[in-house]
């Protein structure tokens, strides 16, 4: 009888563990950057094919006030070629400032044909930086066609004080633009907006419709100081995975914050993250996260 009860307890514990891991959001970082050029529609589709339920992406602003999906507000020499096919050098990349280009010009640059040396498994392909609105439309059409659950988008606003009016608008302007684009496409129930720049989150908090907000953190100042700098408790705290410990998890739980570390790529690191009670995981390899947290 005792053995039977013990077996039942073990089974219940295993089921509870499985349910917990099933609830963890798998976020494709810039899509599935490990396999397909980052922040492109093919990369986002690849992430969904591999089982991601959330797509993490970055946004900047063009000269004609279009919201462009791009990690930098310029064309990185690591992934980009000019419209004539020539390479962009590291010392000149910031000359190709997206904030000073109309989107029609931005679209002529290729961001996938040379691949990315940091991701040797990445497929090389001719592809351009899309608009945020086009990503919403194309991914939602894909999800409907494939009968997937509603896709969530984790939209990172790229900015810092040194870029104001040089590479990006001021936070007052930029945050409002992103907010309005999200509402325009009726995506307010399917997005979270994140940033390292607390000013962006502070501006979004002022908006009449409250969007879920996430504070990105890469420093070692500690969670309390980072929250103090922000000035309010965000919906999500998103640190580099190397910063996660039990004290951080406890703080988030006590303050009703979700915790979603970035960017966890190696199997060994994913395994380490599995011991913590997380709400999500951001990765360039969604299939690896699925392997650890879903199977």
């Amino acid at each position: 009888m005792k053995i039977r009860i013990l077996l039942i307890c073990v089974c219940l514990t295993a089921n509870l563990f499985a349910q917990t891991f099933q609830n963890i959001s798998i976020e494709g970082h810039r899509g599935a950057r490990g396999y397909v050029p980052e922040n492109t529609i093919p990369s986002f589709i690849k992430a969904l094919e591999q089982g991601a339920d959330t797509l993490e992406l970055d946004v900047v602003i063009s000269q004609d006030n279009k919201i462009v999906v791009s990690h930098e507000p310029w064309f990185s020499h690591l992934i980009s070629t000019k419209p004539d096919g020539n390479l962009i050098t590291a010392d000149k990349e910031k000359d190709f400032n997206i904030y000073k280009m109309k989107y029609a010009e931005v679209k002529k640059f290729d961001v996938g044909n040379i691949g990315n040396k940091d991701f040797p498994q990445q497929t090389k392909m001719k592809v351009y930086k899309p608009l945020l609105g086009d990503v919403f439309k194309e991914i939602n059409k894909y999800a409907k066609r494939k009968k997937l659950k509603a896709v969530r988008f984790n939209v990172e606003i790229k900015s810092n004080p040194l870029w104001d009016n040089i590479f990006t608008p001021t936070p007052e302007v930029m945050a409002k633009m992103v907010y309005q684009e999200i509402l325009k496409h009726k995506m307010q129930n399917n997005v979270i907006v994140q940033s390292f720049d607390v000013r962006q989150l502070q501006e979004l908090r002022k908006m009449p419709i409250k969007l879920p907000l996430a504070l990105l953190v890469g420093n070692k100042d500690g969670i309390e100081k980072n929250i103090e700098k922000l000035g309010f408790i965000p919906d999500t705290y998103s640190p580099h995975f190397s910063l996660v410990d039990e004290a951080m998890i406890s703080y988030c739980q006590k303050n009703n914050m979700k915790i979603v570390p970035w960017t966890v790529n190696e199997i060994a690191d994913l395994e380490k993250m599995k011991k913590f009670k997380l709400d999500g995981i951001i990765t360039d390899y969604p299939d690896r996260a699925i392997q650890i947290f879903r199977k």
Side-chain angles (χ1 to χ4, degrees):
M1 188 67 171
K2 289 182 179 179
I3 293 174
R4 186 178 177 184
I5 293 172
L6 180 60
L7 287 172
I8 290 171
C9 290
V10 169
C11 290
L12 288 173
T13 302
N15 286 335
L16 180 61
F17 238 42
Q19 290 169 9
T20 301
F21 289 138
Q22 285 293 333
N23 292 334
I24 290 178
S25 176
I26 305 298
E27 301 196 15
H29 184 240
R30 309 186 205 177
R33 182 168 61 149
Y35 304 106
V36 180
E38 67 182 63
N39 277 325
T40 63
I41 290 173
S43 191
F44 299 135
I45 289 174
K46 183 69 171 180
L48 295 178
E49 288 176 347
Q50 292 189 341
D53 52 71
T54 303
L55 300 175
E56 191 274 351
L57 54 85
D58 312 278
V59 295
V60 300
I61 308 298
S62 67
Q63 186 184 53
D64 49 350
N65 292 324
K66 303 291 185 182
I67 301 177
V68 182
V69 179
S70 176
H71 186 258
E72 296 86 14
W74 54 78
F75 281 93
S76 168
H77 74 283
L78 295 173
I79 62 171
S80 311
T81 51
K82 302 175 192 176
D84 62 8
N86 287 324
L87 297 175
I88 293 172
T89 58
D91 62 322
K92 296 291 184 181
E93 64 181 8
K94 291 183 181 178
D95 293 343
F96 299 92
N97 183 354
I98 293 172
Y99 190 45
K100 302 299 182 184
M101 298 181 188
K102 291 183 178 180
Y103 181 64
E105 184 180 358
V106 170
K107 200 171 177 180
K108 294 177 182 177
F109 286 72
D110 183 87
V111 291
N113 206 37
I114 62 172
N116 186 324
K117 64 181 179 61
D118 294 327
F119 297 92
Q121 291 178 269
Q122 190 183 99
T123 300
K124 296 178 182 180
M125 63 174 70
K126 188 171 179 59
V127 69
Y128 59 87
K129 294 181 184 289
L131 295 175
L132 178 60
D134 289 340
V135 170
F136 286 153
K137 287 186 286 188
E138 292 304 314
I139 293 305
N140 286 332
K141 282 196 297 185
Y142 175 85
K144 185 176 181 180
R145 188 167 69 249
K146 295 294 183 177
K147 298 180 180 179
L148 303 177
K149 291 181 180 179
V151 177
R152 287 180 57 79
F153 297 85
N154 188 353
V155 179
E156 180 181 345
I157 301 179
K158 304 300 295 188
S159 88
N160 73 57
L162 297 177
W163 292 356
D164 288 358
N165 293 319
I166 300 171
F167 293 110
T168 59
T170 60
E172 295 85 355
V173 174
M174 195 171 182
K176 187 175 182 179
M177 289 176 67
V178 173
Y179 171 83
Q180 290 176 335
E181 187 74 3
I182 289 168
L183 266 58
K184 174 184 172 182
H185 292 275
K186 299 179 180 178
M187 294 301 295
Q188 57 267 34
N189 294 325
N190 295 92
V191 300
I192 185 167
V193 182
Q194 64 178 5
S195 188
F196 286 98
D197 190 342
V198 298
R199 302 174 304 159
Q200 297 286 352
L201 303 182
Q202 290 162 350
E203 289 298 323
L204 285 164
R205 193 165 183 252
K206 299 174 185 176
M207 302 301 174
I209 294 177
K210 303 305 177 187
L211 301 175
L213 303 177
L215 177 62
L216 284 164
V217 173
N219 63 57
K220 296 182 179 180
D221 295 344
I223 188 167
E224 293 187 22
K225 285 187 178 179
N226 285 319
I227 297 299
E228 183 181 353
K229 182 179 178 183
L230 177 62
F232 63 91
I233 299 292
D235 300 277
T236 299
Y237 192 72
S238 195
H240 186 267
F241 77 91
S242 64
L243 300 173
V244 176
D245 57 24
E246 288 295 350
M248 181 182 289
I249 299 292
S250 177
Y251 186 96
C252 288
Q253 290 175 341
K254 287 177 182 177
N255 288 278
N256 200 29
M257 276 187 296
K258 293 181 178 180
I259 181 163
V260 180
W262 57 271
T263 298
V264 195
N265 287 340
E266 302 304 322
I267 293 292
D269 292 325
L270 287 163
E271 290 281 10
K272 288 177 185 176
M273 291 297 100
K274 193 175 180 179
K275 71 180 182 179
F276 296 111
K277 189 175 181 182
L278 304 175
D279 296 284
I281 202 94
I282 299 174
T283 178
D284 290 311
Y285 299 91
D287 58 337
R288 296 181 184 177
I290 293 292
Q291 176 185 335
I292 301 303
F293 288 95
R294 293 278 193 272
K295 296 180 180 178

